[in-house]
Amino acid sequence: MNVLVIGSGGREHALVWKLRQSPTVNALYCAPGNAGIGETAELVSLKPTDLDGLLRFAKENNIDLTIVGPEQPLVLGIVDMFRKNGLKIFGPSKAAAALEGSKVFAKDFMARHGIPTARFRSFSKEEQFEAERFIHELAPPIVVKADGLAAGKGVLICNTKESAIEALHDLMVKKMFGSAGEKVVIEEYLVGEEASVFAITDGEKFVTLASAQDHKRILDNDQGKNTGGMGAYAPASVVDEKLMKRIVREVITPTLKGMMNDGVPYQGCLYCGLMITETGPKVIEYNCRLGDPEAQVVIPLIDGDLAQLLLSAAEGKLNPDIAKQHPASAVCVVMASRGYPDDYETGKEIRGLDTFKPDDGVVIFHAGTRSEGKKVLTSGGRVLGVTAIGYDNDLRDAIQSAYRAVSKIAFDGAYYRSDIGKKGLSKLQNIK
Ligand code: AMP
Ligand code: GLY
């Protein structure tokens, strides 16, 4: 079959890398892709938000399956548009993608269906006074969230009631995130360890992939600013088999049933961002796609044909037997540009990429790169996802081999965290 992947980050490189291993994939395209993706798939110069252009391309090139990486095209309704035109596409409809696109929708949904989450209330811009009154009812820290997509920046964790009221003002009056802040969710702060769980679903049946832990802050020991994610490892040590069963029972099953019963069946990848609290798992947020960088560690652990798995989900007849899990660990260390997550420099030459052999358990997923002649240059904040897979299931080995690989790569201003996966190791030591 002919496959089109939409997106240009490390997540999409991981998808393309795995899809290329599928014996049933013929032509493989990626729009717009990056330098690394261009070595495996044919790049198509179309933006993920150019829905008309993407539809035209898919029709003209007889695409049998389109796989959507990022959230924007999903929230804009690319799935509805492709389906209306008789094309198969992996991802949720516009209405179902509201689980990520609107935090008010997601929280109201969870409350209605008894899915564990932080205590909250939502407010429209006419209800600023009521919102302030609710802030006074909560004990700090208090979490104030913009309703809409805000590039991962719309969550404000406030240590005092005064700063929560200020945050509310920033969102509703100063419109710091434009229309995304017209409605807000105010909620209690959850204490625990975070983990992400992914389900591939046809709306009814589903399979879970390996659990993962992202590292969102820019500095070691989870300090500094929030980023898109500075690294990840899988499986997350905090999610043992018993907890995974509980997450399936208390979160994934009721979410998919709830969406079905509400008349918005959810098809695609359901990403559950969880806080593992003392009283059990609670949903921090849903995303309507795979995580980035979580995809870079979760996809290599799939033992099976990814193209067939996603096709079966998109056709509404998921075959869960296609995807087993390798009993392995994977670690992805993100190499970023100096300055990220604020302004950063680009156009720096990356050296050392050719020192890796395809079978040494290390894959360099490109995130923000472009090629210029024979050179590969940086072109984004997150540049590379250096990923190691420990097939003997040893997280420590995978961490070591990821950092060994990082040390062989260089570009001016390269920055990375030095503690990716460490949390997982300390958890394992506690268990032993
Ligand atoms: P989000 O953009 O919804 O992923 O939130 C960004 C980050 O804020 C999450 O990964 C959590 O670390 C943190 N966060 C969001 N909501 C809460 C909460 N209710 N309690 C504690 N931390 C939270
Ligand atoms: N790594 C977090 C996300 O993909 O939303």
Side-chain angles (χ1 to χ4, degrees):
M1 63 178 144
N2 300 331
V3 178
L4 167 66
V5 174
I6 297 174
S8 64
R11 166 182 49 211
E12 288 74 25
H13 195 179
L15 283 166
V16 162
W17 172 81
K18 185 75 181 171
L19 290 165
R20 191 70 283 173
Q21 295 167 25
S22 162
T24 52
V25 172
N26 302 324
L28 182 56
Y29 301 94
C30 186
N34 59 39
I37 294 174
E39 288 176 16
T40 313
E42 195 172 314
L43 301 186
V44 182
S45 176
L46 288 170
K47 284 199 190 123
T49 48
D50 180 5
L51 305 198
D52 292 327
L54 291 164
L55 177 66
R56 205 173 319 120
F57 178 86
K59 280 185 173 169
E60 284 170 4
N61 292 276
N62 302 317
I63 299 298
D64 299 296
L65 176 66
T66 299
I67 299 163
V68 189
E71 63 277 15
Q72 296 91 339
L74 295 166
V75 171
L76 289 172
I78 192 168
V79 168
D80 312 65
M81 187 187 196
F82 271 50
R83 294 231 167 101
K84 215 180 281 166
N85 283 273
L87 293 171
K88 288 177 190 156
I89 181 163
F90 177 79
S93 65
K94 181 177 181 167
L99 273 189
E100 173 166 359
S102 164
K103 292 202 188 322
V104 172
F105 175 88
K107 295 291 292 194
D108 288 345
F109 170 83
M110 286 187 265
R112 216 167 42 245
H113 294 283
I115 295 160
T117 188
R119 181 181 159 220
F120 78 102
R121 274 184 61 191
S122 51
F123 301 93
S124 65
K125 63 177 190 285
E126 292 78 30
E127 296 170 312
Q128 202 186 331
F129 178 69
E130 288 84 346
E132 285 185 21
R133 219 166 39 197
F134 184 61
I135 287 173
H136 284 291
E137 281 175 31
L138 293 173
I142 296 165
V143 186
V144 181
K145 299 183 172 184
D147 174 51
L149 294 182
K153 292 182 185 146
V155 173
L156 303 155
I157 296 177
C158 311
N159 288 322
T160 61
K161 293 186 181 192
E162 291 69 34
S163 60
I165 287 171
E166 209 175 298
L168 183 71
H169 212 254
D170 285 345
L171 293 179
M172 283 188 155
V173 182
K174 291 197 195 152
K175 301 195 191 317
M176 209 159 80
F177 298 111
S179 61
E182 276 183 3
K183 288 190 226 162
V184 298
V185 168
I186 298 173
E187 66 181 26
E188 65 172 342
Y189 181 77
L190 297 173
V191 179
E193 212 175 308
E194 282 185 56
S196 317
V197 171
F198 306 91
I200 304 293
T201 177
D202 62 5
E204 203 176 342
K205 296 191 288 303
F206 65 90
V207 274
T208 54
L209 305 180
S211 59
Q213 246 177 347
D214 189 8
H215 297 62
K216 283 211 169 120
R217 306 291 196 96
I218 187 76
L219 303 174
D220 281 9
N221 298 314
D222 298 330
Q223 302 294 309
K225 287 192 174 166
N226 243 329
T227 70
M230 292 300 293
Y233 76 96
S237 324
V238 66
V239 183
D240 58 18
E241 214 173 301
K242 193 167 151 215
L243 183 58
M244 190 61 148
K245 282 197 178 131
R246 186 164 173 192
I247 292 166
V248 163
R249 195 172 62 239
E250 294 181 6
V251 177
I252 298 173
T253 303
T255 299
L256 298 179
K257 276 205 176 127
M259 291 297 276
M260 184 72 88
N261 290 342
D262 288 356
V264 262
Y266 189 98
Q267 206 173 71
C269 176
L270 176 72
Y271 168 144
C272 304
L274 305 168
M275 187 71 85
I276 312 303
T277 71
E278 268 187 351
T279 56
K282 292 194 178 177
V283 177
I284 299 176
E285 59 162 352
Y286 292 111
N287 291 321
C288 60
R289 50 171 174 86
L290 275 160
D292 188 339
E294 293 98 317
Q296 290 88 308
V297 289
V298 161
I299 289 174
L301 298 187
I302 298 175
D303 182 6
D305 187 329
L306 183 66
Q308 289 302 321
L309 176 71
L310 303 188
L311 178 69
S312 75
E315 287 177 330
K317 42 185 184 193
L318 183 87
N319 179 354
D321 297 330
I322 297 174
K324 302 273 176 279
Q325 294 296 320
H326 279 298
S329 288
V331 175
C332 170
V333 178
V334 170
M335 296 182 78
S337 300
R338 176 166 46 223
Y340 177 77
D342 298 321
D343 290 343
Y344 51 80
E345 303 166 0
T346 59
K348 310 289 180 192
E349 184 178 355
I350 308 172
R351 294 197 180 80
L353 291 172
D354 46 9
T355 52
F356 299 95
K357 287 184 234 62
D359 57 353
D360 61 4
V362 171
V363 200
I364 314 298
F365 292 124
H366 289 218
T369 68
R370 65 184 173 85
S371 51
E372 197 177 270
K374 288 211 161 125
K375 291 183 186 166
V376 177
L377 306 182
T378 66
S379 69
R382 292 189 291 175
V383 175
L384 300 170
V386 178
T387 303
I389 305 143
Y391 283 107
D392 55 1
N393 204 9
D394 193 319
L395 178 61
R396 187 182 302 276
D397 283 355
I399 293 172
Q400 278 172 358
S401 93
Y403 279 105
R404 217 176 303 125
V406 165
S407 73
K408 293 182 189 162
I409 300 173
F411 57 88
D412 180 37
Y415 170 77
Y416 55 88
R417 271 179 64 161
S418 65
D419 64 343
I420 304 300
K422 201 168 149 191
K423 229 185 284 178
L425 275 187
S426 51
K427 196 97 203 163
L428 290 178
Q429 273 148 7
N430 289 343
I431 295 167
K432 273 176 194 162

